[in-house]
Amino acid sequence: MQQSKCCALPLGDSPKAKGGYRDSNPGPPEPQSGALTNCAIPTTACLKGFEPPTHGLEGRCSIQLSYRHISLCIQRMKEKNTLEYLASVERQIDRLTRLEEALLLMSRMDAGALEFQKKEVDVFTVLEMAAENLDDLSLMKKVAVHVPEQPPVCAWLDPDWTVEAVMNLMKNCLEHSPEGGAVCCDWEDNPLYVRVRIWDEGKGFSGKDLPHLFERFYRGEEAGRDGIGIGLYLAKEILEAQNGALEAYNRPGGGACFEIRLYHR
């Protein structure tokens, strides 16, 4: 990594990016969840007392569906005296944990209580830290993340929260890339802002999804079964709160692209 005159953070897990909003390894097929009105909230010891926050109807529905899934899996394991559905239970608990973290973050942002510790940071370091946090997903999907070494460029930002935002963008690209493909990025500086682009080699955004990508709880046509629909919304909110901008479009040669603009002070 090239050294720059601005702050180059040590590579590794970012304190706030550590949790991320990542999908865990896929488990067995999900059982039919049924109507929300018939949800049976489990009272087993492992879930007793767990009351994640809700944030509107979408958040409550997502939580109820996860509870329903866990309840059905536990019931089937008891009936069969087997641990066959343990991986699925663990996956749903991980999903609930990620949802709880995301809802708490959303609440803090809505209340204006999220503090940003901004400083001059090397853009390469931010991208490299985000990619490093997604190593497990990259290996599972068999998709590489390429962060090229370019001339140093610095931006005025909170490194931890910006890594969190970039992780969500890279994760979206990883999830929509073909096996053996790659997620790429580049950046450049101009008198007004630093432009960062992150793109994949997938099908690109559908015309139906493109206008709604950054809406809260929006899940696209190709969304994974464990997707929450918050990652892109949070990425945009975090970047805009730092005098940045985020947009998405399809590349002329194919694939989806996210473009970040980090305006200078």
Side-chain angles (χ1 to χ4, degrees):
M1 182 180 121
Q2 298 181 9
Q3 294 294 323
S4 65
K5 295 181 180 179
C6 53
C7 178
L9 302 173
L11 297 182
D13 286 347
S14 170
K16 297 188 181 76
K18 196 173 179 181
Y21 303 107
R22 295 180 247 177
D23 291 339
S24 55
N25 293 331
E30 297 191 6
Q32 196 67 28
S33 58
L36 285 179
T37 53
N38 296 323
C39 285
I41 304 300
T43 56
T44 53
C46 65
L47 296 174
K48 188 175 182 180
F50 177 66
E51 298 179 355
T54 61
H55 202 291
L57 177 61
E58 298 91 342
R60 290 194 294 274
C61 289
S62 184
I63 290 170
Q64 286 178 309
L65 285 172
S66 291
Y67 271 144
R68 177 65 171 167
H69 185 166
I70 293 171
S71 180
L72 288 172
C73 287
I74 291 174
Q75 180 182 343
R76 291 187 180 184
M77 286 193 290
K78 286 181 177 179
E79 291 173 352
K80 297 183 178 181
N81 193 27
T82 178
L83 297 178
E84 178 183 355
Y85 298 100
L86 182 60
S88 186
V89 170
E90 290 175 341
R91 180 163 55 83
Q92 286 301 316
I93 291 175
D94 176 70
R95 183 174 184 272
L96 281 171
T97 300
R98 290 184 288 112
L99 179 58
E100 180 185 24
E101 292 174 351
L103 293 175
L104 285 170
L105 176 56
M106 285 168 55
S107 296
R108 291 177 63 190
M109 296 190 74
D110 287 348
L114 190 63
E115 296 183 0
F116 293 95
Q117 305 297 324
K118 298 172 72 173
K119 56 186 176 182
E120 288 284 343
V121 179
D122 181 22
V123 172
F124 171 84
T125 305
V126 171
L127 293 169
E128 186 71 9
M129 289 176 69
E132 193 173 85
N133 273 278
L134 293 170
D135 277 347
D136 290 344
L137 181 61
S138 176
L139 290 171
M140 184 179 73
K141 295 288 186 179
K142 297 181 180 178
V143 176
V145 179
H146 297 312
V147 182
E149 289 198 23
Q150 297 182 189
V153 171
C154 298
W156 183 251
L157 49 81
D158 181 304
D160 293 331
W161 286 119
T162 306
V163 167
E164 182 76 56
V166 171
M167 276 180 62
N168 287 334
L169 303 180
M170 286 185 173
K171 178 176 178 290
N172 184 275
C173 289
L174 281 168
E175 291 173 337
H176 295 88
S177 294
E179 185 175 312
V183 174
C184 304
C185 55
D186 65 10
W187 59 94
E188 64 179 14
D189 195 9
N190 66 50
L192 294 178
Y193 54 80
V194 175
R195 185 185 73 170
V196 180
R197 295 185 301 177
I198 301 169
W199 68 89
D200 61 42
E201 299 175 341
K203 299 177 182 178
F205 302 114
S206 72
K208 178 182 177 181
D209 289 341
L210 199 52
H212 307 288
L213 286 175
F214 301 112
E215 293 178 6
R216 187 180 298 190
F217 292 111
Y218 181 78
R219 300 180 74 250
E221 295 178 330
E222 302 293 329
R225 61 182 178 180
D226 287 339
I228 298 172
I230 301 178
L232 296 183
Y233 165 81
L234 288 175
K236 187 176 179 66
E237 291 292 305
I238 289 170
L239 293 168
E240 289 183 348
Q242 301 181 83
N243 192 35
L246 174 62
E247 64 175 318
Y249 52 85
N250 290 320
R251 288 165 54 84
C257 182
F258 293 103
E259 182 173 311
I260 302 169
R261 294 182 180 181
L262 300 168
Y263 290 90
H264 297 303
R265 287 187 289 173

